[in-house]
Amino acid sequence: SKPIARFCHTCAAMPENSRGRWGLGVWEVVGGASSGGIVVRVGRDTASEMVAERLATGSLVSATELEDGRLCFERLSGSGPAYGWASLRLQAGRLLLAPVAGLWEVVGGGDRGGIVVREGPEVGSAQAEARLETGALVRELELVGSRLRYRCIVGQGPEEGWVSVHLQGGKDLLTRVVAPGAESEIIGLPRVPLPVQAARGRILALHGAPGNSNIMRFQVKLLQKVAGPDFEWSFLDGPCAWEPLEGATALNLCERTLIEKSLAKGLPFTQWYSHPLPELAGPSEALADSAPQAGALSFENVIYLNVEDGMGFLDEYIAREGPFDVLVAFSQSGTLAAMYLDKLRTEAKPNPWRLSLLFCGSMIDDLRLQLQEPLALPTIYVAGGDKDDWCAHGLRCLPKMYTDLKVLTHEDGNIIGFQRPDWDLIFVGLPR
């Protein structure tokens, strides 16, 4: 556990305002790697006395004042002066300090000595002996629905674990330290992607259908390794129930394998929208023609059901937890993402992420829901080759759906695929 730091008397005390205790944010030292850290001075003026020790690269600090590109800080982790003033940038423009994304403050459990911590994402998993104290500052490692895997930065309690961000009744147990996107307003900079040294990017990962967040975690393990520590991942489960279709052999309809069930770790298989099944299709000829059969795939007369439910579910989640830098979507979730972006465009709303990374599928086959014009959001599409039943169809459709599209391929079939040498290029210069 880590003691909660107190604001030092030489810097202005944090005002009790609507921003809260960490209202000016937590910042990471991203400059000075080649010089042992960044320069710290005793006052706001750049001509004030220099502190002998530098603030080490990688240190985390809380801001107590922020004015004219100068930050008054108290060090939370790392090494160097416990407090002082530092510049956000060099005169040449190189970033020295960057706001940290993915931080949360524990605001609940004040009457119980903190909030419950568990060993796993399931609310029934083993409970840690100690609670995470109210007022603690933690860093997000994973976010699965309303369950957060954290690492404690400041405060008493388990170093790592899983907690609920709110109670079932909606009461917050943790709140984000700085609302996403607020960093640029705080420091008066334009909203442009930060350079490579900046705070970690945020990736939202959506599983295919049928699937769930545990299966998606397994699927992206190698991708996470390629991405490295510069990105933090959030996983979400689809809102629509799924059941296998007896006798079906189609990949998205047949009974799940024992391996898939093991990877699911007890979570139900879900989807982002559904299709009419033969026994539910009714007398309509259109529905009957679109009903999935146990043979070859057909991309004609396709009908999607419950699309509004899927888009509404995603919209609510992003309103609560977004925005994100990158969307990683597999198959059906890539289709939902396209329809969702199109809906936002018609409503004149901004995109909730900056880059789409789509694996397999991701085309819109329901003629009623196809895009009226292509989307301009930068997109990378990874197709699964000859072993993927959707590959050729996807390669025909996706270039018509996106104006800024890069296409990569692998030969592993309808899966996210194994690591390729050129996959490193995906994460070079990604917006964060």
Side-chain angles (χ1 to χ4, degrees):
S1 62
K2 304 178 182 181
I4 292 184
R6 305 297 175 191
F7 291 103
C8 49
H9 66 277
T10 56
C11 291
M14 174 67 74
E16 293 295 331
N17 56 24
S18 60
R19 287 189 182 275
R21 177 181 175 190
W22 310 100
L24 293 179
V26 174
W27 299 69
E28 181 175 4
V29 180
V30 296
S34 61
S35 54
I38 65 173
V39 171
V40 176
R41 298 184 182 274
V42 298
R44 179 186 293 109
D45 196 322
T46 54
S48 63
E49 180 184 352
M50 184 187 301
V51 179
E53 189 178 9
R54 288 182 173 235
L55 185 60
T57 305
S59 298
L60 296 182
V61 301
S62 62
T64 60
E65 285 190 56
L66 190 58
E67 185 175 336
D68 297 331
R70 298 276 291 165
L71 182 145
C72 180
F73 70 87
E74 180 170 2
R75 179 169 54 80
L76 302 176
S77 68
S79 61
Y83 51 83
W85 285 85
S87 296
L88 299 182
R89 293 178 180 270
L90 295 173
Q91 289 185 346
R94 183 177 177 85
L95 202 64
L96 298 177
L97 286 148
V100 180
L103 294 181
W104 299 71
E105 180 182 6
V106 179
V107 296
D111 57 343
R112 299 189 178 186
I115 64 174
V116 171
V117 178
R118 297 189 182 275
E119 295 181 1
E122 300 81 12
V123 292
S125 61
Q127 181 175 329
E129 293 183 5
R131 288 179 173 240
L132 184 61
E133 74 170 328
T134 306
L137 181 71
V138 302
R139 193 165 195 167
E140 176 184 316
L141 300 178
E142 279 186 76
L143 188 63
V144 183
S146 62
R147 297 285 290 165
L148 172 74
R149 184 166 75 90
Y150 73 87
R151 177 175 295 125
C152 186
I153 295 176
V154 179
Q156 299 289 337
E159 287 286 327
E160 292 189 14
W162 288 84
V163 293
S164 296
V165 299
H166 56 74
L167 297 174
Q168 289 185 347
K171 181 180 179 181
D172 286 336
L173 297 179
L174 297 98
T175 58
R176 289 194 182 276
V177 169
V178 178
E183 298 94 337
S184 60
E185 295 165 354
I186 290 175
I187 62 178
L189 297 174
R191 291 180 180 236
V192 297
L194 296 175
V196 173
Q197 309 99 307
R200 298 170 76 200
R202 303 186 67 224
I203 297 177
L204 174 61
L206 305 181
H207 62 78
N212 58 46
S213 56
N214 283 340
I215 290 178
M216 189 64 174
R217 283 190 187 84
F218 174 80
Q219 290 179 304
V220 300
K221 278 184 179 293
L222 289 175
L223 195 63
Q224 287 179 304
K225 183 178 179 180
V226 175
D230 290 334
F231 296 89
E232 55 190 35
W233 296 65
S234 298
F235 296 83
L236 185 62
D237 287 289
C240 299
W242 177 89
E243 294 292 339
L245 180 63
E246 185 176 356
T249 58
L251 191 62
N252 61 326
L253 297 171
C254 63
E255 180 66 68
R256 299 298 93 188
T257 66
L258 292 177
I259 293 177
E260 287 174 299
K261 292 177 181 179
S262 175
L263 293 174
K265 297 180 179 179
L267 285 182
F269 289 87
T270 62
Q271 51 192 342
W272 299 97
Y273 54 85
S274 58
H275 300 271
L277 301 179
E279 66 270 27
L280 302 177
S284 167
E285 182 178 351
L287 284 178
D289 287 343
S290 69
Q293 303 299 325
L297 289 172
S298 172
F299 303 113
E300 297 181 357
N301 301 316
V302 175
I303 288 179
Y304 300 159
L305 303 176
N306 306 310
V307 172
E308 288 296 329
D309 293 339
M311 290 195 295
F313 180 78
L314 180 60
D315 191 57
E316 289 177 5
Y317 180 82
I318 290 175
R320 186 174 68 250
E321 308 294 346
F324 295 89
D325 298 299
V326 182
L327 175 80
V328 174
F330 176 57
S331 196
Q332 193 196 69
S333 61
T335 300
L336 183 87
M339 295 186 291
Y340 176 60
L341 290 173
D342 193 44
K343 178 176 183 291
L344 295 180
R345 178 172 58 184
T346 61
E347 296 172 352
K349 294 181 179 179
N351 294 327
W353 58 84
R354 299 183 184 184
L355 174 81
S356 293
L357 178 53
L358 311 177
F359 289 88
C360 303
S362 304
M363 70 292 292
I364 303 174
D365 290 322
D366 188 328
L367 296 178
R368 305 168 303 166
L369 300 170
Q370 288 183 345
L371 307 179
Q372 297 303 307
E373 58 182 277
L375 298 164
L377 186 72
T379 301
I380 299 173
Y381 181 56
V382 184
D386 293 338
K387 297 177 183 178
D388 178 7
D389 292 337
W390 285 268
C391 178
H393 185 50
L395 293 176
R396 287 193 300 269
C397 295
L398 270 290
K400 300 175 183 178
M401 295 171 59
Y402 298 94
T403 60
D404 187 358
L405 180 70
K406 178 180 177 62
V407 177
L408 301 175
T409 60
H410 59 70
E411 295 300 327
D412 300 322
N414 189 250
I415 59 175
I416 286 182
F418 302 106
Q419 184 173 340
R420 298 295 181 191
D422 58 354
W423 276 28
D424 292 343
L425 299 177
I426 294 176
F427 294 94
V428 174
L430 280 187
R432 288 182 286 160

